[in-house]
Amino acid sequence: MDGKKAKRRISALTAGLLTLGILVVVNLFALRHFKRADLTEEKQYTLSDSSKSAVRGLDDTLTVTVYMSEDIPANLMELKRGVIDMLEEFRSYSGGHMRIKYIDPEGNDELKQELARLGIQEAMWRVIEKDKVETAKGYFGIGLRYRDKEEGIPVVGRLDTFEYVMTATILKVASPEAITIGFLMGNKEFEPYVEMNTLWNTLQSQYEVTVVNLDNQPQVPNNVNVLIIPRPSEEIPDYQKFAIDQFLMSGGRVVMLLDPVKMKQGTLRAEPIKTGLKDMLKSYGLTLNDALVLDRYNQNAQFNMGRGMIMNTPYPFWVKVVRKNMDKNNPALTNIDEVLLPWTTWIDVAGEMPEGLKAKTILRSSEFSWTQPYYNLSPQQRFQPNQEDMKSRPLAVLVTGKFPSHYAGQDIPAKPVDEAATQQQQAQPSMTFPEDKRIEEATADGALLIIGNAEFITGGFTRMAPTNQLFLLNAIDQMAYGDKLISLRARGMKPRAIDKDIMDNEKLKSKIKWINLLLMPGLVIIFGIARGIFRRNRKGLDV
């Protein structure tokens, strides 16, 4: 009996030592070969190919310094572990070109001043202790240094967006030249830092962002990579259109956000907008329409009817583009299930595009959409679409390739002389596009994204449909970097809703509920009974 017990002890000790040895070997191997299992459907905790490519492309040392307070609140510990794990994964793919340091800035005033230069400052967190909500201060930012360039991530706040922010910052600090996004101004456009302030602020965190006024300069500046035209509400003159035309021909990227109507403040009255761009777009195989698109796939809207009455009703003018009506192969639409376009028009694409150009419709209305050429926007009208007018229409079109010049064979349009200008103003250098820089034929592939709507990216509608902004940010990323960042920005955005067929089936819902209530306790009971029988039988064998 004692001999059997001694043998069992020796066997247990041997097994324990072998297990310990295996764990040591596995950990030593893991230090050199980083690997972890990610069981999420979209691999949210695994570096994407874009991130791997970004760090593999480094040919010098990237120093990543995590500035983190030692007494970080307990509710941020999971975020801290996730960030450390992800940084280690970045480092493992860098081919030895990435170093990571961890520094607590507390008590070092000189370092705090240096961090402020990078935009890294103390963050404030809400902490619940002893049933009280308190505020804690501390650092959780990251500085990146590559050669003579430095960039900072002010605060790490979310793990699901950290990979995107980190990869975007690596691309920014490692790029030989900064990528610049320009917003055209001077033709009563939306002011991006007012009507589109969330978009403006988000872009500023990743790109150089500037205003381009072609009244004050004859051409789009050479450092601008992407030009956004945000809802001009008066005609763009020819000398400015010529500069845009030349920008496209030189390989520039342009995003046009063109509303068909301008709403009168606080009313449902609208007036048409004439942008002067129709003839230019015709040269690129596109026809911009004036009429509004209405759709049975739409968003509910609330209207104040007076005397405290609020009407909540389906509103066909607020067109909802659902997944089946998107170009699923376009990375800008990754994980985006809907885009809301209020008071939008459509763009016809020529059956045969000009030589060298390709057009792709990326958003379209449903087959149950129709048009309205007049601007009665009342939700109380009777919507009676003509069945012959019911069809799907392109709402956003991407054109790529070598753009022909709309002004081929014509003189360069000159800016009209302002007779009221002073002699000093008239003596200023000419604002006419320089003849020696004119391009007769395209020198590189350009890109033009035209959306028959701009309201969709203003504050109220981005709050109503957050994927509106995600879509446009993705599109700008695509213009600026190709497809390097798009799959990252959209991670974690997919809603995890219960299947509609299940929600509509009461019997199935009841069955699932009882399975959830009884299955796990039942398994525990069965396991306990089986374990008791096993132990009883084993004792019988030992006797």
Side-chain angles (χ1 to χ4, degrees):
M1 190 87 157
D2 291 339
K4 286 183 178 180
K5 287 184 178 180
K7 283 182 181 180
R8 283 203 297 270
R9 285 176 186 153
I10 292 169
S11 296
L13 181 61
T14 303
L17 290 171
L18 279 172
T19 303
L20 181 63
I22 291 169
L23 288 172
V24 169
V25 171
V26 168
N27 275 280
L28 289 172
F29 180 80
L31 286 173
R32 293 180 174 272
H33 302 84
F34 184 91
K35 198 73 178 175
R36 64 178 176 179
D38 183 354
L39 303 180
T40 59
E41 180 185 347
E42 295 163 10
K43 302 300 178 188
Q44 291 184 30
Y45 302 104
T46 300
L47 283 193
S48 68
D49 291 339
S50 301
S51 297
K52 294 174 187 175
S53 175
V55 288
R56 282 172 178 159
L58 299 171
D59 53 15
D60 206 340
T61 300
L62 171 69
T63 302
V64 177
T65 307
V66 182
Y67 299 99
M68 183 165 48
S69 299
E70 187 176 345
D71 55 348
I72 192 169
N75 61 326
L76 296 179
M77 293 306 293
E78 185 178 350
L79 173 63
K80 174 184 173 181
R81 285 192 296 270
V83 167
I84 291 172
D85 285 348
M86 194 167 286
L87 287 175
E88 283 300 321
E89 195 168 356
F90 270 104
R91 184 192 58 76
S92 71
Y93 287 106
S94 70
H97 286 124
M98 180 171 163
R99 293 174 54 231
I100 305 173
K101 299 190 296 183
Y102 296 90
I103 296 176
D104 182 358
E106 296 299 340
N108 190 334
D109 292 337
E110 188 177 337
L111 176 58
K112 288 182 178 181
Q113 289 180 2
E114 182 66 20
L115 293 182
R117 186 180 61 80
L118 284 174
I120 300 173
Q121 295 181 335
E122 273 191 312
M124 298 180 68
W125 298 291
R126 293 178 65 194
V127 181
I128 300 176
E129 287 185 357
K130 297 178 181 179
D131 298 327
K132 290 183 179 179
V133 178
E134 298 179 352
T135 301
K137 289 184 178 181
Y139 282 87
F140 197 173
I142 298 177
L144 290 84
R145 183 179 183 85
Y146 185 75
R147 294 177 178 161
D148 60 345
K149 292 178 69 176
E150 284 185 291
E151 290 290 340
I153 300 173
V155 180
V156 179
R158 292 170 51 186
L159 188 58
D160 60 343
T161 58
F162 177 66
E163 184 187 355
Y164 173 84
V165 174
M166 188 68 189
T167 302
T169 310
I170 291 172
L171 289 172
K172 187 175 182 180
V173 78
S175 297
E177 294 180 359
I179 292 180
T180 300
I181 310 297
F183 282 83
L184 185 69
M185 298 293 287
N187 306 287
K188 294 186 178 178
E189 290 88 353
F190 275 155
E191 294 184 1
Y193 33 80
V194 180
E195 287 94 347
M196 302 174 167
N197 64 316
T198 307
L199 176 71
W200 175 271
N201 293 334
T202 306
L203 290 174
Q204 277 190 317
S205 67
Q206 181 185 333
Y207 301 102
E208 299 294 325
V209 184
T210 187
V211 165
V212 176
N213 191 327
L214 294 174
D215 256 343
N216 303 329
Q217 49 196 331
Q219 60 192 100
V220 178
N222 292 331
N223 68 321
V224 172
N225 303 90
V226 180
L227 180 67
I228 300 174
I229 303 177
R231 214 287 300 265
S233 56
E234 65 180 22
E235 290 198 22
I236 298 176
D238 273 309
Y239 64 91
Q240 292 190 24
K241 290 194 295 185
F242 182 82
I244 298 167
D245 179 81
Q246 293 287 292
F247 179 68
L248 280 167
M249 292 175 69
S250 64
R253 276 91 171 100
V254 175
V255 178
M256 292 185 179
L257 309 175
L258 305 177
D259 273 337
V261 295
K262 179 168 61 176
M263 306 294 295
K264 293 185 178 180
Q265 190 72 29
T267 72
L268 284 175
R269 292 194 295 274
E271 56 187 35
I273 294 176
K274 304 296 182 184
T275 63
L277 291 170
K278 283 189 176 184
D279 57 343
M280 182 177 174
L281 292 172
K282 276 277 189 184
S283 300
Y284 308 147
L286 305 173
T287 300
L288 181 67
N289 293 280
D290 294 323
L292 295 172
V293 176
L294 296 84
D295 203 321
R296 285 185 183 170
Y297 282 75
N298 59 66
Q299 177 79 23
N300 269 31
Q302 287 188 346
F303 299 95
N304 188 343
M305 307 307 294
R307 297 183 180 179
M309 292 179 59
I310 301 293
M311 181 171 70
N312 190 330
T313 182
Y315 191 50
F317 288 107
W318 288 6
V319 176
K320 185 185 289 187
V321 182
V322 295
R323 187 70 187 156
K324 69 177 183 178
N325 295 321
M326 300 178 186
D327 177 12
K328 299 178 182 64
N329 297 319
N330 190 303
L333 293 162
T334 301
N335 280 355
I336 293 178
D337 290 327
E338 64 179 47
V339 174
L340 174 62
L341 299 177
W343 304 297
T344 187
T345 190
W346 81 102
I347 305 104
D348 284 319
V349 180
E352 187 174 339
M353 290 292 289
E355 186 179 354
L357 291 183
K358 293 181 180 178
K360 187 77 173 176
T361 298
I362 63 173
L363 297 178
R364 59 171 56 252
S365 62
S366 80
E367 67 272 29
F368 303 108
S369 69
W370 67 100
T371 63
Q372 185 169 295
Y374 53 92
Y375 304 132
N376 174 13
L377 307 182
S378 170
Q380 294 180 299
Q381 64 182 286
R382 295 185 65 185
F383 295 105
Q384 295 180 316
N386 183 342
Q387 292 301 314
E388 294 180 359
D389 191 33
M390 283 269 202
K391 65 177 181 179
S392 178
R393 292 172 169 81
L395 305 178
V397 177
L398 177 64
V399 181
T400 55
K402 287 186 167 58
F403 281 77
S405 177
H406 172 60
Y407 295 92
Q410 302 179 38
D411 292 336
I412 296 176
K415 180 180 178 180
V417 176
D418 184 0
E419 295 180 0
T422 65
Q423 288 185 341
Q424 184 180 0
Q425 288 172 326
Q426 292 181 16
Q428 294 293 322
S430 171
M431 287 295 110
T432 301
F433 195 98
E435 183 68 49
D436 61 339
K437 293 188 177 180
R438 179 174 187 167
I439 301 172
E440 297 289 351
E441 291 186 5
T443 57
D445 285 353
L448 168 64
L449 172 62
I450 177 170
I451 304 172
N453 192 251
E455 284 282 350
F456 83 105
I457 202 61
T458 57
F461 290 103
T462 56
R463 287 190 293 272
M464 194 181 301
T467 47
N468 280 7
Q469 178 160 293
L470 178 62
F471 158 61
L472 188 57
L473 286 169
N474 280 350
I476 294 169
D477 285 345
Q478 189 176 30
M479 294 284 198
Y481 285 114
D483 299 339
K484 291 179 183 177
L485 288 176
I486 293 169
S487 60
L488 304 184
R489 198 192 286 276
R491 280 190 169 193
M493 290 295 295
K494 191 171 183 179
R496 302 293 176 186
I498 298 174
D499 189 276
K500 189 176 184 298
D501 291 337
I502 295 175
M503 292 300 294
D504 293 341
N505 190 325
E506 291 299 326
K507 287 185 179 179
L508 186 56
K509 278 200 297 183
S510 178
K511 192 179 294 184
I512 291 172
K513 181 181 75 173
W514 285 109
I515 288 173
N516 284 330
L517 285 172
L518 301 177
L519 180 61
M520 289 309 297
L523 288 175
V524 171
I525 292 168
I526 292 169
F527 174 77
I529 293 170
R531 182 171 172 78
I533 293 170
F534 174 77
R535 291 183 67 179
R536 196 181 305 120
N537 291 340
R538 187 172 179 180
K539 281 183 179 179
L541 290 172
D542 288 342
V543 171

